[in-house]
Amino acid sequence: MSTKKIPLRQCIGCGEMKSKKEMIRVLKTSEDEIVLDATGRKNGRGAYLCPSMECFHKAVKNKGLERSFKMAIPKEVYETLEKEMEQIG
Ligand SMILES: [Zn+2]
C-alpha cells in the first residue's frame, strides 16, 4: 500500500477536488489583501481555483472567495484577479 497521499484541494468555483499542483492558490495576506499566489509559497489563508476562467467566474458568482476568506471582496479585487487569471490561463 502506498503511504503517499496527494493532498487534494477543492476548487471554490466548480467544487472539484484536485491536487494542489493543478490549482491556482488565491491568498489573503496579513494585510487583508487578496492576491494570486503563483508560487504557492506565500503565507496566509488560501483558497484554490482550477486554472480556468470558467471556475473563476463561478467562484465570483457563488461568492466562493467571500466564504473562504469570510470577508467582502471589493469589485476591484475581482478585476485584478481576473486579469491575472487571464495571464495564467
Ligand atoms: Zn474548478
Side-chain angles (χ1 to χ4, degrees):
M1 255 174 64
S2 170
T3 52
K4 269 191 192 168
K5 219 178 167 185
I6 300 162
L8 294 178
R9 294 290 180 271
Q10 189 175 31
C11 172
I12 54 169
C14 64
E16 242 183 86
M17 302 287 289
K18 291 183 183 177
S19 75
K20 279 168 80 170
K21 273 185 271 175
E22 293 174 79
M23 306 190 88
I24 294 172
R25 191 165 176 241
V26 187
L27 194 83
K28 181 176 142 185
T29 68
S30 49
E31 288 88 39
D32 277 357
E33 277 181 308
I34 309 294
V35 294
L36 281 193
D37 179 16
T39 62
R41 290 203 189 95
K42 289 178 194 164
N43 286 319
R45 197 187 161 81
Y48 291 85
L49 264 177
C50 307
S52 90
M53 287 311 286
E54 210 187 318
C55 287
F56 176 77
H57 287 136
K58 276 184 193 166
V60 174
K61 224 176 176 180
N62 68 22
K63 298 195 182 297
L65 286 176
E66 269 98 339
R67 277 187 283 121
S68 294
F69 298 129
K70 297 182 172 64
M71 63 181 275
I73 312 289
K75 206 171 148 266
E76 305 82 69
V77 170
Y78 278 128
E79 282 165 6
T80 308
L81 289 179
E82 184 168 17
K83 276 183 205 130
E84 290 183 53
M85 284 290 293
E86 274 168 358
Q87 282 166 15
I88 292 167

